[in-house]
Amino acid sequence: MTSPLVALITAGSAGLGAATARLFARNGIRLVISYDSSGQRAYELVEELTNISPLTAAGTDRQDNYVALKADLAEKDQISQLVDNTICIMGKLDIVFSNGTWIRLRDINDLDDNVNEEDWDTCFNMNVKSHLWLMHAAKPYLDQTEGVFITTACLAGVKVGGSSLAYSVTKAAQIHLAKGLAQIAAPKIRVNTVSPGLMLTDCGLQFPPEKQEEARERSKLKRWDVAEQVLCFVKSKSVTGVNAIFDRGMAL
């Protein structure tokens, strides 16, 4: 009997990470979700994942099917430890959904407001380097399973926009990084990216209400299915180096 797939989702306790975790659990995928400061929320999600998973209904209710681990994605050593702990608990790794990000709201049309060095350093660390470190740590295990590495970028990485110039530029770099990783990791590992526009997650809700409403009004579709695209990348064995853009028809 084929063993269930195993996934690691970073920043997995809320927003797109949690939505993807729920979708994965409903599809019988075992999961480690990482969190930084929201431990209680992460453990509540683990309980929910256990309850909705067909693995539980099938009588394979192992306590390690769904696990939450604390990790600061700004720290390279903690990323490496996160992967090591995932392997120790799960025994293998088929899927990595690298979902961490960092934003700080700035006036993107004001150059003076976009030259804060700390913003740029933190954006590059979280939006670019953390994904590189995670891929480096996970690659030996994904090689073994011929798995998939998926990152969350942003529409702001395709067209200048978003919370700040630093955010937009580093999201563009993240998309380019994923294409480079796809080249390096082939033929065994697939690497793809999802790039949604403004989602009303913890990050999206930091935007002023008028910006949130503007995003809703500009979109032709009034719904998101980004988690479904992440699962599609998991299932699609011949797709790599792709950036899936989710603008809900804004460009039409």
Side-chain angles (χ1 to χ4, degrees):
M1 183 177 179
T2 304
S3 63
L5 297 175
V6 172
L8 168 62
I9 300 178
T10 58
S13 64
L16 177 57
T20 304
R22 292 184 181 100
L23 183 60
F24 280 10
R26 290 190 184 99
N27 280 268
I29 298 173
R30 299 173 69 209
L31 281 167
V32 171
I33 59 170
S34 84
Y35 67 94
D36 184 8
S37 58
S38 53
Q40 183 61 36
R41 185 165 60 182
Y43 293 121
E44 289 173 357
L45 178 60
V46 164
E47 183 176 357
E48 179 186 348
L49 299 176
T50 302
N51 290 334
I52 65 177
S53 171
L55 298 178
T56 304
T60 58
D61 186 15
R62 296 170 48 176
Q63 289 193 342
D64 60 359
N65 277 339
Y66 300 99
V67 177
L69 296 176
K70 181 176 174 61
D72 182 353
L73 300 177
E75 299 293 334
K76 184 180 179 182
D77 289 346
Q78 290 196 35
I79 291 172
S80 180
Q81 190 63 53
L82 173 64
V83 173
D84 289 346
N85 289 341
T86 297
I87 295 300
C88 184
I89 294 167
M90 296 292 187
K92 68 167 186 168
L93 187 57
D94 301 279
I95 306 156
V96 175
F97 182 32
S98 190
N99 182 55
T101 195
W102 186 86
I103 74 167
R104 178 172 287 161
L105 293 185
R106 299 285 184 182
D107 181 352
I108 199 166
N109 295 309
D110 181 353
L111 183 58
D112 289 338
D113 199 30
N114 284 273
V115 292
N116 182 286
E117 191 167 5
E118 182 183 353
D119 283 9
W120 283 90
D121 289 346
T122 306
C123 272
F124 263 109
N125 200 33
M126 284 295 297
N127 298 342
V128 183
K129 290 163 64 177
S130 71
H131 303 284
L132 175 62
W133 305 146
L134 183 56
M135 177 61 174
H136 184 254
K139 186 178 182 297
Y141 308 107
L142 294 175
D143 273 334
Q144 292 173 11
T145 59
E146 298 194 1
V148 60
F149 186 91
I150 305 160
T151 77
T152 304
C154 184
L155 186 60
V158 179
K159 180 180 179 181
V160 175
S163 58
S164 70
L165 188 59
Y167 178 82
S168 185
V169 168
T170 54
K171 285 298 177 180
Q174 182 186 341
I175 294 167
H176 208 60
L177 171 67
K179 292 181 181 295
L181 293 176
Q183 283 186 252
I184 293 168
K188 289 187 176 181
I189 304 171
R190 294 159 286 130
V191 182
N192 295 298
T193 302
V194 291
S195 287
L198 180 65
M199 296 187 295
L200 299 184
T201 60
D202 289 353
C203 287
L205 290 173
Q206 294 183 43
F207 284 82
E210 59 270 20
K211 289 291 185 182
Q212 298 175 32
E213 183 60 28
E214 178 187 350
R216 279 191 290 263
E217 288 300 317
R218 289 177 57 207
S219 66
K220 304 297 186 293
L221 302 176
K222 308 301 179 184
R223 61 186 182 274
W224 293 108
D225 59 356
V226 184
E228 291 283 356
Q229 181 60 54
V230 177
L231 182 60
C232 181
F233 278 146
V234 170
K235 294 180 177 181
S236 300
K237 302 297 185 183
S238 59
V239 176
T240 195
V242 170
N243 178 41
I245 297 171
F246 291 83
D247 68 353
R248 296 184 294 183
M250 288 183 183
L252 295 176

